[in-house]
Amino acid sequence: MSTVKGKRFTLKGVLDGLRSSVSTPPKAEMEIEESLRSEHFQVCKTVRHGFPFQPTAVAFDPVQHILAIGTKSGSLRILGRPGVDCHCVHDSDAAIIQILFLVNEGALVTVCSDDSLHLWNYRQKRPEIVHSLKFQRERITFCHRPFQSKWLYIGTERGNVHIVNIESFILSGYVINWNKAIELSRKTHPGPVVHLSDNPIDASKLLIGFESGTIVLWDLKNKIAETRYSSPEALRSIAWHHEGKQFMCSHSDGSLTTWGLKPTPKPMNSMFPHAKLGKDGKPDPCKPITKVDWKSIRNGEPLVIFSGGMSYDRAGRTPSITVMNGRSTTVLEMEHNVVDFVVLCETPWSNDFQDPYAIVVLLQNDLVVVDLTSPGYPCFENPYPMDLHESPVTACQYYADCPPDLIPAFYSVGSKQKKTGFTEKQGWPVQGGEWPTLACSYPEIIITGHADGSLKFWDASAVTLQVLYKLKTAKIFEKPKKTPESQDDDPFAIQMIYMCSESRLLCVAGASHCMLFKFSKQEANLDIPFLETSIVYEIYDDLDSPEYDYPKPSLGLVTQTSGSMGSYSSNTSDSAKSDHTTSVKVKTGSRKWSAGYQPDLVCVLTWVDGEPPGNITSILVNSTYGLMAFGNESGLAIIDFMQRTCLLNLGTPDLYGSMDPYQRAPRSPRGKKPQNAEGVGQNSEESKSPTTDQINGVCMSPTSLKQKKPHPELKRTKSQGTTRAKIQKAQSFASMEEHANGGVTYLSVDLSNKSDGVSFSRSRSSSMSSLENVSKEAIQSLMFADSYTRKTGREDNFTCPCLWVGTSLGSVIVIVLNLPPTGEQRLTQPVIVSPSGTIFRLKGAILAMSFLDCNGVLIPSVSETWKESPQRENRDSNEKALKNSNIGIQRQMSLSNKPRISPTSSTEMSDRQFVIICSEKQGRVMSLPSQTCAYKVKITETSFVVRAEVVAVRDSVCLMCYVANGHIMAFSLPSLKPILDVDFLPLTDYRVARTFCFSNSGHALYLCSPTEVQKITYSADISETLNDMLGDLFLACETPDAPKQGFFKNLFSGGPSTLDREELFGENSGKASKGLAKHVPGSGLQHLQAQSGAIGGEIARARMALVERGEKIGDLDDKSAQMLSQAESFAQAAHQIMSRYKDKKWYQF
């Protein structure tokens, strides 16, 4: 007989039992140590790539081989050899009208449209302004600085010439007034100064050109006009011959005139290079020659190079550069308007044979370098990323720290796309500067989408940008027919890009089509499979029959019918089938695709009742699941790209099922279709966000919000006929399966929620009530993940494949994906998609979602590693070809055999996952599977978040946000503690919102202009090492010696004359007019002064140390002398003692 001991109850035991029975949220702040601190973050711009937007000026240093380009917005780009690229900006947005290099001195002067001069020092890696001079009473029109002179000539709109000391930026008292330069008999003003230059062999003679055509050769020493020339046509530019005896002028009537030093009423030569004789024998009018240059060749005829001058007929409409070599004239046609050009020569000396070797032509949208040493004058291939805007950039993605084999793979397929027609000479003429010493430890890739449907892949590692590969998606579609009704000029424009860097799957979306590409190193003949589907939701406002009163369906699915590769739209009636209008048409038939990205599947959204579908707003693909999802302004579609079927295409309201918190605005039938076609729901009401009391609840149960609303009509697929059905709750999805003809057919829903909203939603209102009418709800964010789907007990606590869907109204809906086992079954058995019943609510549109494990470590999306699949050629639409084409797909992880995270005795009631959800207003960290809110933060009240991303930084993770008010913010995870808030860039351009990208390791970028991309960093480590990553612009080198003049040349011509400009323009010239200009010391001067002060202090300290050392050496010398005398005295005393006791015995002492 056994004895049963009674259990002893105590108060402590009861309390412990109560604690263990209550599920409490995890105390992550005690368990998870967050390593990121505020000192780890610092926001700064790193490098800018692309073509300078709206260029205005160009200059070249012939010794340093550095090129500088100025823009309308005041930006300055300094370019050297490929990889050496520096961007600088002025304090003001005034346009740069002229750039002058201080040749081989590491400095340049910019002249701006606000009548200011700026001296830049580019001896350091980041150029700085040393001096600025602002003219207050006169407008600056032209400047000239003689080679190796410290004086700058400044011409003004009033016709005066002022002189400035470049070293101090102080005006000289020497002024050339216009009324003294022109003839006294002239009664009119000569106009602004358009040219200034000194005679190549006589620096004391300054040539002044006025806009009206008056030219004056001014004697600087005697302060008089030595020679005056008058042309009836307006003057544009002047160029000297290197011997200094002639100069050539270009005029507004398309003519070139040549003048000698001797005064003559007419020019020595006058010609119209491109004029055609008319019927009356007179030349036809020509365009102005905006600039001319006259360069001599040692062993050949000189070159005359000019821009413009073409006739006004049709042939002259093309911008051009003309090169005249003796009797030979070559016209180089340009694709864009010529802004400026500069001829590259071997020597900086103007009185020597120049021997030009190239022309740098600055166009409105391109930079062209012409090879003058090759026949036909071909162009050099531009190594700079100047073709970023070849077609306007419409989308951008940035991947930092991507797999190392990705760049070589893109380069190998892109190297076969090289352009031809360039010069055979190797070596880009602009070879200045030196590459950075610090290399990047990880690869970076930028993908840009363009208006013509093309994508470009760029190597953006460190501070470089190099194109790797170009993909043209427009080849997939037929050319659109241009009709007066067509509103979209760019039907193939890329709107969204997503690349899985591990599997190399590429998902690209246009306005109403989504494309999936797979990477292959082999060519293939492909027949592109495509699906036509619609995402619609319609609410009937007049349903009197009681048979419509049944629970609202939560899901609608369709599958591929026997062998058909046609439409997978939920609208499958006969009338709908015959009226499938799409914005783009996919080409049929097989065609050859080169190595690289090859199309695997194209999904096209169809029009509904004569109206185009809403723009696609979110895309995502997962290589492990074999699924692709995309959402638009109306709803969501899930595609099985392995079986090429549409699993789901529903309006957003149907994703809620019976838990829809909003009253949808009904629309009346349009009467276009007799039975079941309704008009597309539209409403101009702004998208709104839920109120605070609505979003305080974390998860809404299916019974928490019950509303009786009109319900839509259900329709089966065509193979099952049009029969009404009744669907129960979303959780019991298995009951929706019906077996027919040995296969599985699913019920589908035809629902419309068409909206006219834009793809970039602004859900900032907080006054939304669940009873208010809502007409649109776009899909804003998608995330595939293995996650917990609902609150589960210890018997059913495991993760499963899910799709997390974020909407523009702040809802997060979780959809469960029931995937067949991998291998043969995955290709034959259907994927079952069902809602989980889990919904989270936040304020504002959902922008980002991500997952952390229980240790706060980022859970990456499950993905396969890329592997070359067997060649896919001549793919048929039947299931056999579909099956064979996917046999090569191998998985790293088997979903069915994947170990589930099941509870143990120690963790059965604890949470093991965090989901981070960020909206336009808030951030939330939810614990799973308990679905409790662990942390939350209010990101902004008055503005909205434009871009949000969970990124990896310093072996940890954080939430990065770019807010419309210009702030860049960072929050630690999972606690959401703010660790960065910097006012960086206010959102003033929609382009920035569309292209702003956060990436890992502290990188981000955005399109700062239509032609330029700006990289920034938010990492303090990168900011500190940025200087080491930048290249050197200035390299110390010897200036070429002045040309040697022959004996007879010096004898008869007198040789080059010297000029003491210091004596003429220095203190002896007096003081400049008060108030004419204001000197502003730059930050670079303060930096130099601080450096010089520090150096002076070091020298003073070294001198004091030297004096002290000398004094100590003197003291040591005195002590040494004293010791020497003492040693001598001691020696003498010792000698005396020795002599005294020398002859004595020991016993005599």
Side-chain angles (χ1 to χ4, degrees), residues 391-395 449-455 473-474 477 488-496 508-513 515 584 994:
S391 176
V393 179
T394 54
H450 301 266
D452 62 353
S454 63
L455 292 104
T473 66
F477 305 100
D488 192 359
D489 295 331
D490 301 310
F492 309 131
I494 305 299
Q495 302 294 337
M496 308 199 77
V508 181
S512 61
H513 59 278
M515 301 163 285
V584 293
R994 288 284 299 175

Side-chain angles (χ1 to χ4, degrees), residues 687-689 761-766 843 920-921 943-944:
S687 296
K688 298 181 181 180
S689 298
S761 169
R762 293 288 178 272
S763 303
R764 295 183 293 276
S765 172
S766 60
K843 183 179 179 182
E920 289 181 333
K921 296 288 187 178
S943 187
F944 60 93

